Amino acid sequence: MNHVMPTYGRQPTLFTHGEGSWLWDEHGQRYLDAISGIAVCSLGHAHPEIAAAIADQAGKLIHTSNLYRVGLQEKLADRLCGLSGMDSVFFCNSGAEANEAAIKIARRQAFERGIENPVIVVMQQSFHGRTLATLSATGNKRIQEGFAPLVEGFVHVKYNDLAALEAIKDDNVVAILLEPVQGEGGVRVPHPDYLRHVRHLCDERGWLMMLDEVQTGMGRTGQWFAFQHSHIIPDVMTLAKALGNGVPIGACLARGKAATLLGPGKHGSTFGGNPLACRAALQVTEIIEREHLVHRADDLGRKIREDFARQIGHLDPVLDIRGRGLMIGIELDRPCAELVNIARDAGILINVTADSTIRLLPPLVMTDHEATLLVEKLSSILIDYFRA
């Protein structure tokens, strides 16, 4: 009897170990991992330097409490602020927690401005987490179903639609929360000028610009953070997933006034920013920078998209091949969830999101040969699938 609560529709595969872009199951079958644990293991599986750093830190100090200074936390905060241009960091354990902190920052600003019923503008088809507040912010009614009453104070507008934002006249609006590229929404890449216009609108109206970079951050899109493609800086940014390469860690970064709103007693986390998680994250940032993996993500992602376009882009069921860096979506003209099992049986791990979009999130360390193998095998699977 399995005593794990059935909160996931789990596939039957049980992995025992991994190396780089590959995973092995209990029967010795090898799989090319093209989703990286959903954008988490960007440096691949069992990276020897990360494993060594975790083991070394575990032998020294795992946890003390945020009642005291945490040296590795301070060092990681300095590193992330230096890379992003932000001013301060709150550390937690997940993307949902990081987004909760962002929401609290927005509400705290509203409190200081005397706004009693603050509103945060969020996007349709977005995903921000599964806590009650982040679920309420998420633009997907299907995953909200059954959890009413939702948290008030969110208004949803169409993504990549500046006119929809400009049409908002509510004086209670205090912030906009959005993903620079929508992941769960189907790898939706906005117009190149969209984030710049959002930044201008926020400045004009006194709103906080808050970016959920939980999936896009840490080099995934070909910049350290996806907002850097637009040459702007948000007021608040959230991170998790690839920050620890599998070790649970989240971060909410802020700058300017937003960086001062959560003082002592206003927010906290028992495990957030503990020495073990911070040591892993510092090792991740060091490897990404030393190996030039941000640039690698940009180049390899472009090559993969171009190769898919040559292999299957002419097929009628393929509506679009899009993405940014190693965040890739192949949109089909039909629901295609069954492709996850078909591809797994062929030795490739993929994901389907928004019902009809194949989402690929390959590790940043994927080799050229592995990328070619991914394109050739998945293209062959799709061609057979369309013929069936």
Side-chain angles (χ1 to χ4, degrees):
M1 181 178 177
N2 191 334
H3 293 282
V4 177
M5 192 174 291
T7 55
Y8 297 91
R10 298 180 192 268
Q11 297 176 43
T13 310
L14 191 159
F15 298 115
T16 58
H17 63 286
E19 181 179 351
S21 301
W22 298 90
L23 285 166
W24 282 261
D25 69 14
E26 58 187 327
H27 306 294
Q29 175 67 41
R30 188 174 75 154
Y31 302 82
L32 181 60
D33 185 2
I35 55 173
S36 305
I38 312 184
V40 170
C41 298
S42 289
L43 300 184
H45 301 283
H47 194 291
E49 290 184 55
I50 297 174
I54 292 171
D56 179 68
Q57 188 61 42
K60 294 178 178 177
L61 189 65
I62 293 177
H63 177 80
T64 55
S65 167
N66 282 307
L67 294 175
Y68 309 98
R69 289 181 59 192
V70 181
L72 288 168
Q73 185 179 126
E74 293 173 5
K75 186 176 180 181
L76 179 59
D78 289 347
R79 186 78 179 105
L80 292 176
C81 287
L83 291 169
S84 65
M86 307 299 276
D87 292 336
S88 65
V89 189
F90 169 79
F91 288 107
C92 49
N93 310 287
S94 68
E97 288 181 53
N99 285 329
E100 285 274 350
I103 291 167
K104 288 184 71 173
I105 287 173
R107 290 201 168 187
R108 185 68 187 179
Q109 176 179 256
F111 172 80
E112 295 196 357
R113 290 172 52 187
I115 298 174
E116 295 183 0
N117 297 297
V119 171
I120 300 173
V121 178
V122 287
M123 303 296 139
Q124 297 171 6
Q125 297 180 287
S126 63
F127 182 84
H128 299 294
R130 294 184 184 272
T131 64
L132 270 178
T134 56
L135 182 70
S136 302
T138 292
N140 185 329
K141 292 188 180 299
R142 184 169 59 186
I143 68 170
Q144 293 174 336
E145 185 178 359
F147 297 103
L150 298 177
V151 176
E152 297 180 349
F154 299 99
V155 58
H156 292 81
V157 301
K158 187 177 180 181
Y159 185 66
N160 197 27
D161 186 341
L162 189 63
L165 291 175
E166 292 176 335
I168 296 172
K169 304 301 181 184
D170 191 343
D171 291 337
N172 289 319
V173 171
V174 294
I176 296 176
L177 172 63
L178 76 158
E179 301 154 277
V181 178
Q182 286 193 332
E184 298 294 330
V187 192
R188 302 286 176 184
V189 183
H191 186 275
D193 291 329
Y194 179 64
L195 290 185
R196 284 198 292 272
H197 286 306
V198 173
R199 175 72 274 177
H200 175 74
L201 186 65
C202 288
D203 290 339
E204 185 178 72
R205 302 193 180 184
W207 301 345
L208 294 178
M209 183 181 186
M210 309 198 303
L211 295 182
D212 179 342
E213 293 242 20
V214 169
Q215 190 167 143
T216 56
M218 302 305 295
R220 170 61 55 185
T221 69
Q223 291 282 357
W224 274 101
F225 311 105
F227 73 78
Q228 292 170 331
H229 290 283
S230 301
H231 306 289
I232 54 97
I233 302 180
D235 299 299
V236 179
M237 174 181 68
T238 57
L239 297 173
K241 288 191 179 289
L243 181 56
N245 206 63
V247 175
I249 182 171
C252 179
L253 291 79
R255 72 179 182 101
K257 175 65 174 176
T260 69
L261 292 169
L262 295 182
K266 303 305 179 186
H267 199 47
S269 170
T270 296
F271 299 109
N274 68 53
L276 184 71
C278 289
R279 178 73 183 274
L282 281 164
Q283 194 67 49
V284 166
T285 59
E286 178 182 323
I287 294 167
I288 290 175
E289 183 169 48
R290 186 186 69 229
E291 302 296 330
H292 308 290
L293 294 179
V294 174
H295 182 70
R296 170 70 174 168
D298 189 41
D299 286 347
L300 187 60
R302 185 180 299 108
K303 180 182 185 300
I304 290 174
R305 294 193 302 274
E306 290 172 351
D307 289 350
F308 271 123
R310 282 192 290 269
Q311 295 267 8
I312 60 172
H314 62 285
L315 301 177
D316 289 340
V318 178
L319 300 181
D320 195 16
I321 298 170
R322 58 177 176 263
R324 179 161 281 170
L326 284 171
M327 190 172 181
I328 300 163
I330 303 172
E331 184 178 0
L332 306 184
D333 66 352
R334 65 197 71 179
C336 58
E338 63 266 34
L339 278 169
V340 173
N341 292 336
I342 296 170
R344 186 195 67 234
D345 291 343
I348 299 180
L349 304 181
I350 66 171
N351 176 243
V352 169
T353 190
D355 294 326
S356 59
T357 298
I358 300 166
R359 177 173 52 168
L360 303 175
L361 302 161
L364 276 57
V365 296
M366 177 172 274
T367 67
D368 289 345
H369 172 71
E370 291 164 346
T372 297
L373 182 65
L374 168 63
V375 173
E376 291 179 350
K377 291 194 72 171
L378 185 54
S379 295
S380 178
I381 289 167
L382 286 171
I383 290 168
D384 291 342
Y385 177 70
F386 297 146
R387 286 173 178 165

